Amino acid sequence: MTLNVVLMLVSGTLLVRSFLGLFLRTRSRYAGWWMALLVLAGASSVVDLLSAVTGHAVAVGLGNGLGAATAACAWGAARALDHARTGWLHIASGPAVAVAATVLTAPSLGTGAGAVVTLATMAALFTLAAIRLWRTRFAPSGAGAHGASTHGTVAVTGLAVAVSILALFYVWRVGALVALGPSSPVYLDYAGASANALVVLVLLVVATFTMSELGQVERMIELRIKATRDALTGLHNRAELDRRARVRLAARQGPVAVVVADLDRFKHLNDTHGHAAGDRALQAFAGAVRRGLGPRDLAGRLGGEEFAFVLDVAGPDDAAARLESVRRACARLRVADGAHPLTASYGIAMRAPGESFEEAMRRADAAMYRAKRAGRDRIVLHRDEATADDVATADPAGEASAAAPAA
């Protein structure tokens, strides 16, 4: 109980420090999530004291919900450092599960109602937070990137270690509770409320006193993303795609497909339905690309309505199949009333041994123009300087079909 009181007081002190020292100055999303965590940690300590004294089911359920919400905010803060947004619906799902489990088991378990589910939920959320922090630490554009400040790198590393320890501690709490029971001396001494308050207290102090550096890391990553991403579509911009593609082609020994795609009748769409419809078309196409390509594939906007992809594939047929999934997804999209279905022409060039990215791009671009001349909305594979194969076309019903080589 004494440690819970200390946790409550420390949470309040750190909250004031965080609000005055960082949030008012930067309006950082990471700082916002961390302040929410401090509020919930303090409230959880108060409710835990009440439930220990009264044993009331409402206090038990509220304490479990607040505990899970604290872990959810840690996950939100970790995602904010990586410039990922977290909706309140995602945050609320963990506490909702904890409260529901408490309500369902309260008649039989009393003050222990929902404990296993709550601790398992918190272990999962802290684990997700730790994974995200380590990902930020070692990501090419994250805290460990070239040019990142030493203090920022150390701060993210320290927080990642602290949250990882906390995640392991909650896994231990779940295991001890299930295996030993809530009244076991081992559980009470090494996994109970006092041990939990001590571990959380250390985490709060470590994270809060590195908040200035972590806020700087968040701003640095945001600037890097703005410098490497196309603002409208969220895909890589041309310079970043070129950089990543050179690295990929130098590292990969297997087949690589370089693709150039160009939206069909884009000028007509802009002239007829306005630039807002054109922007929606670009965003819708980028969304279809993200859903249709593989996790290791690269995609970027070259400019205007032109895009390029670098695909790790088994061969030409594999590349064509991925693009066909994108083509089919686009065919179902409408970006304006009365507008044609969203279509694009695709040119594929399989990287030849020793070939540079620029050379493969030129061949893919030539194949894309062949697709345009052949009627648009199709995928053309470049074979050599003189020929290209039309590997997918659109029939009147909008379905793909094989075609003879196009001249």
Side-chain angles (χ1 to χ4, degrees):
M1 184 174 294
T2 302
L3 279 174
N4 273 329
V5 173
V6 173
L7 179 58
M8 177 182 64
L9 295 175
V10 170
S11 297
T13 303
L14 296 179
L15 175 63
V16 173
R17 182 185 186 279
S18 303
F19 182 73
L20 296 178
L22 183 65
F23 185 73
L24 283 179
R25 179 164 48 87
T26 65
R27 304 291 177 177
S28 159
R29 285 192 295 122
Y30 168 78
W33 280 115
W34 195 254
M35 286 195 304
L37 185 152
L38 292 171
V39 170
L40 292 169
S44 178
S45 297
V46 173
V47 173
D48 284 345
L49 289 173
L50 292 175
S51 62
V53 173
T54 66
H56 198 283
V58 173
V60 174
L62 184 58
N64 287 345
L66 288 171
T70 301
C73 286
W75 177 52
R79 286 173 56 83
L81 277 181
D82 200 25
H83 200 64
R85 296 188 178 274
T86 307
W88 286 106
L89 185 60
H90 293 92
I91 294 296
S93 59
V97 168
V99 171
T102 305
V103 171
L104 292 174
T105 58
S108 58
L109 296 180
T111 56
V116 172
V117 173
T118 300
L119 294 178
T121 300
M122 295 178 71
L125 289 168
F126 281 126
T127 299
L128 290 173
I131 291 171
R132 177 66 70 159
L133 288 168
W134 286 115
R135 170 179 161 178
T136 301
R137 167 61 180 83
F138 290 106
S141 60
H146 175 70
S149 72
T150 302
H151 292 304
T153 302
V154 170
V156 174
T157 303
L159 185 60
V161 170
V163 175
S164 299
I165 292 172
L166 190 60
L168 291 173
F169 175 70
Y170 271 90
V171 171
W172 152 245
R173 290 193 74 190
V174 175
L177 180 60
V178 172
L180 304 175
S183 58
S184 165
V186 174
Y187 175 79
L188 292 175
D189 290 342
Y190 300 105
S194 296
N196 176 67
L198 182 60
V199 172
V200 172
L201 190 62
V202 172
L203 171 68
L204 293 181
V205 172
V206 169
T208 303
F209 280 90
T210 57
M211 186 172 288
S212 178
E213 288 80 8
L214 293 170
Q216 181 182 355
V217 168
E218 181 186 358
R219 292 192 298 274
M220 179 196 71
I221 293 175
E222 182 177 0
L223 290 173
R224 287 181 182 275
I225 289 174
K226 287 181 178 178
T228 59
R229 295 279 179 176
D230 175 64
L232 182 62
T233 64
L235 300 179
H236 296 306
N237 60 25
R238 183 165 193 153
E240 182 67 7
L241 177 68
D242 183 72
R243 186 189 70 79
R244 288 175 178 256
R246 291 171 186 269
V247 173
R248 178 67 56 83
L249 266 62
R252 181 167 168 82
Q253 300 300 316
V256 177
V258 176
V259 179
V260 173
D262 191 273
L263 298 190
D264 297 327
R265 304 180 182 87
F266 186 74
K267 184 178 184 302
H268 176 75
L269 176 67
N270 268 336
D271 293 344
T272 305
H273 300 281
H275 289 284
D279 288 348
R280 289 195 297 273
L282 294 169
Q283 291 169 334
F285 181 74
V289 167
R290 276 190 288 267
R291 292 188 296 272
L293 299 187
R296 285 186 48 79
D297 296 334
L298 302 177
R301 183 184 176 196
L302 301 180
E305 68 272 28
E306 194 170 26
F307 298 80
F309 318 133
V310 179
L311 314 180
D312 289 355
V313 293
D317 291 342
D318 185 18
R322 292 190 202 179
L323 295 177
E324 178 62 15
S325 69
V326 175
R327 194 189 72 81
R328 287 176 179 269
C330 288
R332 296 191 291 269
L333 300 174
R334 298 291 188 278
V335 296
D337 292 338
H340 291 289
L342 183 61
T343 65
S345 300
Y346 306 85
I348 305 174
M350 297 301 299
R351 189 268 303 264
E355 185 177 33
S356 69
F357 177 57
E358 291 80 3
E359 292 167 339
M361 279 279 288
R362 280 195 291 271
R363 293 195 299 115
D365 197 52
M368 184 273 293
Y369 278 109
R370 286 181 180 271
K372 292 282 189 187
R373 291 194 296 271
R376 304 183 183 91
D377 188 24
R378 64 194 63 218
I379 303 163
V380 170
L381 173 65
H382 192 283
R383 293 293 189 187
D384 54 41
E385 293 184 357
T387 64
D389 284 350
D390 188 359
V391 297
T393 65
D395 64 18
E399 296 297 326
S401 60

